[in-house]
Amino acid sequence: MHLPSVLVAGLDFSTLPQQVVNGILLGAIYALIALGYTMVYGVLKLINFAHGEVFMLGAYTALFVSWGLGYKPTDNPTGSSPFNLLLMLLASMLVCAVIGVLIERFAYRPMRSQARIASLITAIGMSLFLQYGGQLVLPNSPPQNIAGKINPYQGNIAIPLRGKNADLVAQAAKAKPAFDQAQAAFQEDLKHEKSEFDLTPQGQALSDAAHKAERTYNDLQNKADASGLQVNLPQGQMIMLVTTLVLMGLLTYLVMYTKRGRAMRAVSHDFDSAALMGVNVNSIVTFTFILGSSLAGAGAMMNATFLTGTKIDTFFGMLPGVKAFVAAVLGGIGNIPGAVLGGLLMGVAETLVVWAGYSSYRDAIAFVILIVVLLFRPGGLMGSSKVEKV
Amino acid sequence: MKFWGVRFGSIAAAVLGALLLQGVAGHFGDFIVHLVVLAGLYVTLAVSLNLINGITGQFSIGHAAFYQVGAYSAGYLATRFHPKFHGPETIWLVIVMAAGALGACIAGLIVGLPSLRLKGDYLAIVTLGFGEIIRIVVQNQDALGASYGFTVAPRIQIVSVVWLLAILCIAVCRNLLKSAHGLTFLAVREDEVASSAMGVNVTRTKVTAFIIGSAFAGAAGALYAHAQAFISPSLFTMDVSFIIVTMVVLGGTGSITGSAVAAVILFYLPEKMRDLSEIQNSKILGFSIGLILVIVFIRQMMEKYHGPKATKGWIITGGVVGGVVISYILAAILHAIPALQGVTEGSKLRMVVFAVTLIVLMLLRPQGIFAHHEFSLSWVAKLFGKKDVPRVEVSA
Amino acid sequence: MTKEYFSIKLGVAALALGMIAASGCGDKPADPGTTTTTTTGTTATNTDKPAGDAPAGERKAPPVDGPKVADGEDIKISAIGSLTGDQKPWGTDSLDGANMALEDFNKQGGIPGHKIVILPGDSASKPEQAQTAAEKAIADGAIAIVGEVASGHTIQIAKSAFPKGIPVVAVGATKTTLTNEGTNVFRVCYTDDVQGPVMAKFAYDKLGLRKMAMMTDNKQPYSQGLSASFAAAFKKFGGEIVDEQKYESGNTQFSGQITQLAAKQPDGMFLSGYFTEVGPIAQAARQAGLSKVKFLGGDGWDSPSLLTSGGDAIIGSYFCNHYNNADDRPQVKTFEEEYKAKHDGKLPGTTMAALGYDAMMLTLQRLKAAKSLSSKDLIASLEDTTDYKGITGDITLKGMNGNPPKRAIVVEVAKPDAQGQWQKFATAYTPDQVK
């Protein structure tokens, strides 16, 4: 099967596999955040608007821990160890859990007796407070980055989907000696020159020749590469995917096979009956927030560390928060596997929008999905499509 | 007839008031004029949102989208047609307001219709989502300046037009409220099923509320475009919607007076704080926190304490004194710690003030300042001692 | 009810989709561009894209005379920069430089009989805030505005200053059409008309690149202008632009655009945006497997944060800058000594400190040489500037439409040395060399 790069109506199918992979990795983060939303909605029937800000604070925690470990912008670290990453992960999860509990205790618990709208407004207020209050006390202008060096796994795993054309590879290999020769000649001359860009006419000629040889070689190499198809998985992002799966596995175990988990499911089914059955609902709600917030913290730490270039400021959590909420709705709010599925689908949808050439609409797709789901299947993919009857 | 006398009197007073405001503001220069214009626009926005949220009970938090549609419609028209327009600026503003209102109406229809079956949380999220979609779509139109924004020329800031729009909005909402139509809005807010059983067309009521609310927001947006002279999508983010929601909630959902008053307060205070020095802001922050603590303390005491009344009085006094002391201490701490100096810089506090207002309000007084009360002449008359004054408004 | 409801839903969904689709395609109406009105009501429209551009054609004089400084009154000059937000390094540096210039000017005698006050304004990295800051400064009585660094912000400042007749001296705004806003707009730096061709020539001649891909920040008029300028020049020299991808300042994810771009197999990438995104883009590109691609850019890269966010990926890249800390000229040395004395022995992080100094010092000196202490005469005096010896180079504004012809240098991004310097001088071009 020989699939050339087909450009169908502007779509470049050769990049599709890579984009799908990008989408799944992005979706893993959304899934982690969505789990928090879905669990809280399940027990409290409340959309925790402040969840995105918990995510943001998790990223800041990871940032501060990395500074403490010697990776400040002014430091010059040489390498890193997995221990650093583990420390950052645990710290983020812990801090987020604490913050989640505090928010629940002081902002949401007093609202339980009020109308649902009041809780929603409180949640919005809490979200704004964390965003703008954070602006005043956290370093955010300019936005911060976690030093890439703290990730010891910098390599790429290349997974070949279709081998390269052997002839083209051979052609490129044949051109290499010529390139090496031209390059060596120029380097030799460079020793007698003032600087790389201030050359004598003879030096300039050698430089031009070296460049030409490089171009020829690169062109052949590119042709060879293009004949194959491969997917690039940065090591860090693979770690991210594995960690996400592990955390989700743990969560599922907790919810399905432990007593606490059963109590959680009971509370989400019917708050008052569970209380009547002797479940300490306050404790269960706190437990839910701990779980959800720590997952968000884990997601934040991984997002900020492995998706290189992620900028952290106090509004960092807003958009992922909203998208993760849409993911939770897409999967069926209150449904844990649904949240994971929704998250992955959201990530893939967003990347496909970029792949199709509409990168500036990538954020809008989330809302379009939301509206379509709420209009046509409010229960979500894995929820029931119950119609509220009177 | 007293009825019509009061009506026309109020309208005349309103128009005169608007013109007077224009004259006074003009005296103080362009910057003050701009502030007064913005305040008036916020009043319109808050009251129009109140129609949807407070009076009809549809929790919509994407109001900035209608504002944006109005602004961009006006801007676009201004760039294409204003050069050919040769009349007085006021007439141009009226034309542009109508266009903005029309555009926003269509947007309101698009948002309102699908949201019919949704309630509470879901409705809120959907309106937010629509708001964002509209913002992103506008942000991608190169003809509208894409995400950088575009210049609306010429700059027109006429205070009287802006405040007349606000007054018109208040008048329309108030009249709607007091009429038979208003009762259907209220009925739908209270219990949709029951009102549907009583023969109210719930769908039509909700959609009407959305359309009227969004139309006013669109008209306000048109004026905003000309007042700013430069509009960009970042002027119409979710935060703006939240600010308007805060104004409505603070004033009291369902109270038109409340929304108007809260709009002015919440607009003016942060502007004032921007100019205040860091010391004064520390004091304000310290006192606010102290005040909240005092209120919470007193409330707790009132609920839990069942002793003699005199002791209650002492507790309250003690609480207030303690609160003042704590406030000063807090202010001093805020002022002294260099790391926290950033906290008290005026311009950054604005949104924090809004956020805290929302939270504190929900915790302490969810019904807002005015709850569901309105300002009326009979209430004023009662203040002056006249008893048994009949309400001058006509109820259906 | 269900049936009726469903059809309503479908109808509205169709309507909405139709509107979105219609807005996206179809022939675009003539771009509104911008219009300027003078008090006599004449307008000049133009159809430049995008809508951040100033009108083409001749610069117009402001409709009114700006304020005058009365006897004994303070002279107020506004200095606007991004003191908060993404562009904070530039804002703080440019205001630092401006303040230093005032001190030095006062040491040299100042303007007798008047105290000079700098009114700082914060544009918070947003154009609307720049507009507000400019208007506040004008309301407070400033007779001139020094600022800003980002072209997008300076355009708004210029638009606010023009109707009031107030001169604007831009510190680092390079968008070519900026000075078209009016005869009251000047700058002390080079324009994108120079920067684009410089990098194009460097890429073509010195690096031997032939296939460039561009990443443009669609939210910044600076980036859009620079990309266009680079593309035109590169094609003229004989190169090929294989792809252009867009993003927006504030974005954090670029893997989608990078993947698209990588498929076209460029040998170089032109990143015309600001440092806040350039670093992450470079990293994302390396991660996507573009290990041999060379990155090039403009003065928007100039900030130490580039190294943090760009990590190893950005080392070995090249960008165009205004001057270099290692320059031999005496003005540079004096400035650096003075700066170090005030800042704990540290050198300025960006070139905006020196540009801010140049902008303010030029304004003050031209004010002193002006016929009277008023905005109108200051504009005339600035227009007369010939061979002003600035830290960043010689500045001549006479007959230059507000754009001084200045030397542009190309620097290499290197690992910081013992003094923290990371910009290694590569080569320099004068505007004539790249025509």
Side-chain angles (χ1 to χ4, degrees), chain C residues 20-40:
Chain C
I20 292 181
S23 69
C25 56
D27 54 277
K28 290 201 172 37
D31 290 298
T34 60
T35 63
T36 55
T37 54
T38 61
T39 44
T40 54

Side-chain angles (χ1 to χ4, degrees), chain B residues 116-117 202-203, chain C residues 1-8:
Chain B
L116 293 175
R117 190 186 295 189
V202 173
T203 309
Chain C
M1 171 62 182
T2 334
K3 249 208 252 183
E4 168 198 291
Y5 180 50
F6 191 79
S7 55
I8 294 178

